[in-house]
Amino acid sequence: MRRFAERDLAQFLAYLNDPQVARYQSWESYSAAQARDAIERQQGLDPGLPGRWFTFALESKETGALVGHVALKTTEDGRQAEIGFTLAREYHGRGLAFEAAARVLDYAFTSLALHRVTATTDCENDRSVALLGRLGMRREGHFIQNVWFKGKWGDEYQYAVLREEWLREHAG
Ligand SMILES: CC(C)(COP(=O)(O)OP(=O)(O)OC[C@H]1O[C@@H](n2cnc3c(N)ncnc32)[C@H](O)[C@@H]1OP(=O)(O)O)[C@@H](O)C(=O)NCCC(=O)NCCS
């Protein structure tokens, strides 16, 4: 897990524009300029800055290739955060999203000492729902047609985990 770099552009752009990866995400597509801008905007940011998203790049230890990213948005008061995750399609189903998201949660609760981390997912996004369950995040909300999403009303689940719960589960 590391910061994004200019060399990530081609692979970043490729998976952002994969319809299967974008299906439940906020975007339809990314131009090269938008992707470059997203990478540039991360330069100089640190995780945990109030009100800002920080995006951790995930790199394969074996090949050095960009696998995907995990993003963490700290709330304005700096006490909580929201987590999101995106992997290139060829890396789905290998436990890599779990490994990365668990590491970011660990970092959020130990290094940043946040109180609570939340996540929101489309109810139809089975892989994301399964991952959030595996991470031990609690489903706290089930919203019905709360979001106008890609041409229709969508339902969302909201998940959360508290620092004390995470630390209890992952002691040592
Ligand atoms: C959501 C997303 C990150 C989940 O990725 P994922 O690879 O399914 O999640 P995990 O890392 O937990 O991997 C679990 C799978 O790896 C398998 N696996 C293989 N080796 C494993 C290992 N060593 N350890 C754990 N799991 C392993 C598990 O059996 C499981 O397979 P299954 O899905 O067939 O049951 C991914 O689908 C994605 O990027 N989707 C597009 C973007 C998106 O929608 N993001 C969420 C927005 S809210």
Side-chain angles (χ1 to χ4, degrees):
M1 201 170 299
R2 58 164 173 76
R3 289 173 183 276
F4 264 90
E6 270 179 51
R7 67 178 184 282
D8 294 320
L9 181 62
Q11 171 66 356
F12 186 47
L13 191 59
Y15 72 69
L16 291 173
N17 283 312
D18 179 339
Q20 193 174 307
V21 170
R23 182 166 174 199
Y24 297 112
Q25 304 275 31
S26 55
W27 65 86
E28 294 278 1
S29 65
Y30 260 76
S31 68
Q34 287 171 316
R36 190 176 298 111
D37 194 47
I39 291 175
E40 273 169 13
R41 269 187 281 118
Q42 285 295 308
Q43 308 306 316
L45 287 184
D46 286 317
L49 292 177
R52 306 298 297 264
W53 279 103
F54 183 87
T55 309
F56 299 83
L58 314 177
E59 180 182 297
S60 161
K61 285 180 188 166
E62 287 78 30
T63 65
L66 181 70
V67 164
H69 62 264
V70 175
L72 192 71
K73 186 190 182 193
T74 310
T75 52
E76 294 289 342
D77 66 2
R79 295 174 190 273
Q80 303 187 51
E82 177 182 354
I83 192 169
F85 22 71
T86 303
L87 259 61
R89 191 197 301 205
E90 60 267 39
Y91 297 103
H92 294 183
R94 300 196 203 175
L96 295 173
F98 177 84
E99 184 184 335
R103 183 68 194 91
V104 170
L105 286 171
D106 228 28
Y107 178 81
F109 290 127
T110 55
S111 300
L112 301 178
L114 298 180
H115 171 66
R116 178 171 173 264
V117 176
T118 62
T120 301
T121 182
D122 191 299
C123 298
E124 292 177 1
N125 191 349
D126 298 338
R127 279 197 169 273
S128 179
V129 169
L131 170 57
L132 289 161
R134 275 195 291 275
L135 287 167
M137 294 185 76
R138 178 178 42 256
R139 189 183 293 171
E140 294 187 340
H142 182 179
F143 300 98
I144 311 298
Q145 296 192 12
N146 63 318
V147 59
W148 179 253
F149 184 67
K150 301 194 175 178
K152 64 180 176 104
W153 288 106
D155 300 349
E156 288 182 328
Y157 293 133
Q158 186 165 31
Y159 288 77
V161 60
L162 300 175
R163 179 170 191 264
E164 64 191 59
E165 294 169 332
W166 182 267
L167 296 182
R168 199 185 309 131
E169 276 301 306
H170 300 85

